[in-house]
Amino acid sequence: MKSEFKVYDICEFSLDRQQDVIVSRFDVYLKNLKYLHFPHRHDFYHLILFTHGGGSFSIDFQNFKIIPYRAYFMAPGQVHGWDFEGNMDGYVINFSVQFFQSFLLKSDYLDQFYFLNGIAGDSVIDILEEQRASITEILENAVREMEKQHRFKTDAIRVWILQLFLQIGNMNVRNEVHPADSYNMTLLRNFEKLIEKNYLNLRLPKQYAELLFITPNHLNALCNEVLGKSAGDLIRNRIALEAKRMLINFNLTVTEIAYALNFEDNSYFCKFFKKQAGLSPDGFRKHIHTDTE
């Protein structure tokens, strides 16, 4: 059995050890990555738009079909893997967490793009046919910029990537699926961000409602209306996801993971995980190992 699933640093994907952005056509990128182990994690943002090929792609243990002009957006820490069919091509962008921080006054500017929020269900976008030519042109420009050497190269690449985000963000995919007023969407997004920061210590919806200055009933009603899940489900799902991410590291014992996730004892953690995932922690590990052999 593999001892652990690797977390890759962006420098491992580039000849330039100081580089914190990579833009490439996917066939070129793939030829240089034959050593990759799957599934694995990154400590950087990872974006792929396929234009040719098929197969499947998994993000945080959810499987998605690969079809042309379907884009996959992965935030740092997400677990992913792929199983390709046919000749693959498209575009790939990797950039570090710090890449935009010195460029943009608002440090949380990227948070407004829902497809970068680290939630697997929001991370897969089908590019509309009328948008494909312009998005391909943006990516081609970014690839060409990557190959140049001039004073403003890095900033030019930042501009092309932001142009890509703005165009995809303007497709309003999430708003079409979940019609809600902007206030409620902002409230929900703030709840998701609070969960991300506090799930290890805050486990009850009322604790988050207090931070959001609303009642627990309001928070629960909002989650059910927009996402079809209770506020408690969102909190428990995030804890279970982190447990899955940790369980693919076979160097950690189940007991160590339980304590790292702030469970009082191993037994309670195992009961919680089985209820959320449908498998015991050991059963989940066996399932993952079988799938990657």
Side-chain angles (χ1 to χ4, degrees):
M1 182 176 289
K2 299 173 184 176
S3 62
E4 64 178 311
F5 286 76
K6 186 170 177 58
V7 179
Y8 286 98
D9 181 89
I10 193 168
C11 293
E12 297 180 69
F13 291 74
S14 172
L15 296 176
D16 182 352
R17 303 302 291 180
Q18 301 302 315
Q19 194 166 8
D20 59 356
V21 62
I22 296 168
V23 185
S24 174
R25 292 182 184 84
F26 190 71
D27 61 340
V28 175
Y29 181 82
L30 189 59
K31 290 174 183 176
N32 296 324
L33 297 179
K34 295 180 180 179
Y35 62 88
L36 282 181
H37 299 287
F38 293 98
H40 63 248
R41 304 168 74 170
H42 298 151
D43 69 354
F44 52 88
Y45 289 93
H46 179 57
L47 293 61
I48 300 177
L49 171 64
F50 293 108
T51 56
H52 296 89
S56 62
F57 205 107
S58 67
I59 304 175
D60 275 340
F61 315 101
Q62 295 187 41
N63 292 318
F64 302 92
K65 186 177 180 181
I66 293 175
I67 60 175
Y69 292 96
R70 174 169 285 178
Y72 302 79
F73 297 82
M74 281 145 283
Q78 287 190 285
V79 175
H80 79 98
W82 56 49
D83 183 14
F84 294 145
E85 296 176 3
N87 295 321
M88 308 301 301
D89 202 3
Y91 301 89
V92 61
I93 298 175
N94 297 336
F95 64 91
S96 68
V97 174
Q98 298 79 24
F99 184 60
F100 284 103
Q101 289 180 349
S102 62
F103 187 69
L104 299 170
L105 182 61
K106 293 177 62 178
S107 60
D108 61 349
Y109 183 81
L110 296 184
D111 290 351
Q112 66 186 307
F113 300 113
Y114 65 89
F115 43 82
L116 296 177
N117 65 15
I119 298 175
D122 289 337
S123 301
V124 179
I125 305 291
D126 289 322
I127 305 301
L128 302 175
E129 188 171 356
E130 59 267 27
Q131 300 275 2
R132 293 175 184 177
S134 57
I135 285 179
T136 299
E137 183 179 3
I138 290 171
L139 288 163
E140 280 292 330
N141 285 329
V143 169
R144 284 193 290 269
E145 203 67 54
M146 193 76 192
E147 297 168 350
K148 297 178 182 178
Q149 294 297 330
H150 60 81
R151 179 182 175 187
F152 297 109
K153 169 182 174 177
T154 301
D155 285 347
I157 293 171
R158 289 187 177 108
V159 170
W160 285 120
I161 295 175
L162 285 175
Q163 183 67 32
L164 175 70
F165 293 166
L166 290 169
Q167 184 152 338
I168 293 178
N170 281 331
M171 289 168 57
N172 291 322
V173 176
R174 192 174 190 180
N175 287 340
E176 290 175 7
V177 176
H178 306 301
D181 62 63
S182 59
Y183 169 77
N184 280 341
M185 291 305 296
T186 300
L187 199 58
L188 181 60
R189 180 61 185 132
N190 288 338
F191 177 42
E192 293 172 336
K193 289 163 69 174
L194 284 172
I195 292 175
E196 191 64 30
K197 293 179 180 178
N198 299 287
Y199 67 89
L200 288 177
N201 299 308
L202 304 182
R203 303 289 173 93
L204 301 176
K206 66 179 182 180
Q207 295 172 304
Y208 290 93
E210 184 176 348
L211 293 173
L212 293 165
F213 301 102
I214 60 175
T215 67
N217 286 342
H218 183 181
L219 178 60
N220 205 48
L222 173 63
C223 293
N224 277 308
E225 178 185 354
V226 179
L227 300 176
K229 299 176 182 177
S230 71
D233 284 337
L234 293 182
I235 300 167
R236 289 185 289 272
N237 288 347
R238 182 61 185 89
I239 299 167
L241 173 58
E242 195 62 26
K244 291 177 180 179
R245 290 175 174 178
M246 297 181 74
L247 283 164
I248 66 171
N249 182 348
F250 294 112
N251 286 331
L252 294 174
T253 67
V254 173
T255 299
E256 287 173 331
I257 293 171
Y259 285 120
L261 292 175
N262 245 355
F263 285 86
E264 292 182 1
D265 58 63
N266 182 55
S267 176
Y268 179 45
F269 168 67
C270 290
K271 291 178 181 177
F272 168 86
F273 187 84
K274 187 170 184 179
K275 184 175 182 180
Q276 296 299 311
L279 292 169
S280 68
D282 285 332
F284 176 79
R285 278 183 157 166
K286 291 176 182 177
H287 175 71
I288 290 293
H289 178 62
T290 300
D291 284 351
T292 56
E293 285 184 325

